[in-house]
Amino acid sequence: MPLILTEEQTMLQDAADGFLAEHAPLDHLRKLRDDRDPDGLSRDLWRGFGEMGFAGVLIPEAHGGLGLRRRGGGDR
């Protein structure tokens, strides 16, 4: 059964794709892995994720998130 995204889901997916393409290209992610950063993540990348609202995509609306389920969160 094919998954057909709503217009809102498509917009969210496009925004995430664009953000990651600009701020987290594959070479950046490989550098994080290869440098064995003690944090294991890019704080700047996560800060940007939060600023874009992506951190709250799966959080229920009652708790300040968007309340989307896994498929609503743009899962392919």
Side-chain angles (χ1 to χ4, degrees):
M1 179 169 162
L3 174 66
I4 299 171
L5 299 177
T6 65
E7 183 177 344
E8 180 182 53
Q9 291 167 330
T10 300
M11 288 172 51
L12 177 63
Q13 183 178 7
D14 291 345
D17 286 347
F19 178 84
L20 290 171
E22 182 177 341
H23 299 286
L26 193 53
D27 60 327
H28 173 74
L29 299 177
R30 285 183 177 147
K31 183 174 179 351
L32 283 173
R33 178 197 64 199
D34 296 343
D35 287 351
R36 298 183 187 260
D37 185 286
D39 290 334
L41 57 96
S42 167
R43 294 197 181 275
D44 289 337
L45 183 59
W46 274 101
R47 187 175 300 108
F49 244 60
E51 290 169 359
M52 293 290 293
F54 298 138
V57 169
L58 301 177
I59 306 297
E61 287 183 84
H63 298 287
L66 294 178
L68 299 177
R69 294 178 177 227
R70 189 163 178 238
R71 287 288 177 203
D75 186 31
R76 290 183 189 204

